[in-house]
Amino acid sequence: MAFDIKYLPLSSIATMAAAFVYCIYLAINHPETSPGPAQSLNDYTPVIYVVAASMCMYYVFLFYQSYTTFDELQKARKAFRDKKTKEAPDIKQIKYGVENVNVVAANRTAGNYTEQLVPFLLGLYFYSTYVSVQGAVKWGWIWLFFRSFYLIAFKLPFPCLLISTVPAYYCVWFMMGATLVTISN
């Protein structure tokens, strides 16, 4: 019996999801967070929990992208074997094509998260450095919550996707804007 390759990224998804939950556990059990700007490296500890959780979510989305490609390839091969399709499936067509809604959703989830990760991390660190560690942590977890269901929202009719994206964008711009206002005074 051959090893089904899709279980490799699936096991990685489970590992990263467990690590994400552990980041939440660490954050919940962390002592009181500084209400003001970070004054020492130790003040950044709760921010690092948010960063670690955001990296875990990033890898969940990347591994889900691979899992979805392998799963859809397996379905396409079965359809070809059962003579439901005339053309043999090609992994490149499935992974980079636009015909399969599950693959497109997985690709856009990973892609959009990647696009938004740098502004989020910059906003998080700027806000915690110049405004408030406690506030940065709060906005960071809110951002992660809204990013977490992008895949589901993507598959729903438009404008449902905006339920995931707009609040997440607001989190980033609030942190950036508040930081700019604080440092300009």
Side-chain angles (χ1 to χ4, degrees), residues 15-92:
T15 302
M16 289 294 102
F20 182 86
V21 170
Y22 186 62
C23 291
I24 294 170
Y25 170 80
L26 292 172
I28 289 170
N29 290 296
H30 186 77
E32 191 64 30
T33 303
S34 170
Q39 302 297 314
S40 70
L41 287 177
N42 286 339
D43 289 344
Y44 286 103
T45 301
V47 176
I48 293 170
Y49 296 146
V50 175
V51 171
S54 70
M55 292 298 105
C56 291
M57 187 176 288
Y58 176 63
Y59 280 99
V60 164
F61 292 155
L62 289 178
F63 290 131
Y64 184 77
Q65 189 180 28
S66 295
Y67 168 78
T68 302
T69 299
F70 293 137
D71 189 48
E72 294 299 322
L73 178 63
Q74 187 178 55
K75 290 176 189 174
R77 285 178 175 163
K78 182 177 180 342
F80 179 71
R81 276 193 312 272
D82 294 346
K83 309 241 186 270
K84 292 179 182 175
T85 59
K86 293 181 181 185
E87 192 175 320
D90 177 37
I91 193 165
K92 290 177 191 169

Side-chain angles (χ1 to χ4, degrees), residues 24-184:
I24 294 170
Y25 170 80
L26 292 172
I28 289 170
N29 290 296
H30 186 77
E32 191 64 30
T33 303
S34 170
Q39 302 297 314
S40 70
L41 287 177
N42 286 339
D43 289 344
Y44 286 103
T45 301
V47 176
I48 293 170
Y49 296 146
V50 175
V51 171
S54 70
M55 292 298 105
C56 291
M57 187 176 288
Y58 176 63
Y59 280 99
V60 164
F61 292 155
L62 289 178
F63 290 131
Y64 184 77
Q65 189 180 28
S66 295
Y67 168 78
T68 302
T69 299
F70 293 137
D71 189 48
E72 294 299 322
L73 178 63
Q74 187 178 55
K75 290 176 189 174
R77 285 178 175 163
K78 182 177 180 342
F80 179 71
R81 276 193 312 272
D82 294 346
K83 309 241 186 270
K84 292 179 182 175
T85 59
K86 293 181 181 185
E87 192 175 320
D90 177 37
I91 193 165
K92 290 177 191 169
Q93 288 174 327
I94 291 173
K95 183 169 178 66
Y96 302 110
V98 293
E99 294 83 31
N100 188 304
V101 69
N102 293 325
V103 172
V104 171
N107 288 345
R108 282 311 309 139
T109 299
N112 190 269
Y113 193 87
T114 302
E115 294 159 7
Q116 298 305 315
L117 191 56
V118 171
F120 166 69
L121 293 174
L122 288 172
L124 189 71
Y125 277 114
F126 291 163
Y127 195 85
S128 62
T129 301
Y130 295 103
V131 181
S132 167
V133 171
Q134 196 174 58
V137 169
K138 176 188 79 171
W139 287 110
W141 287 114
I142 292 170
W143 184 85
L144 283 166
F145 169 75
F146 283 105
R147 299 309 307 183
S148 70
F149 60 87
Y150 181 96
L151 177 69
I152 296 164
F154 186 89
K155 292 181 180 182
L156 296 173
F158 187 80
C160 292
L161 182 61
L162 299 178
I163 296 168
S164 172
T165 57
V166 171
Y169 299 157
Y170 177 81
C171 292
V172 171
W173 282 106
F174 180 85
M175 290 188 291
M176 289 289 200
T179 300
L180 289 172
V181 168
T182 299
I183 64 174
S184 68

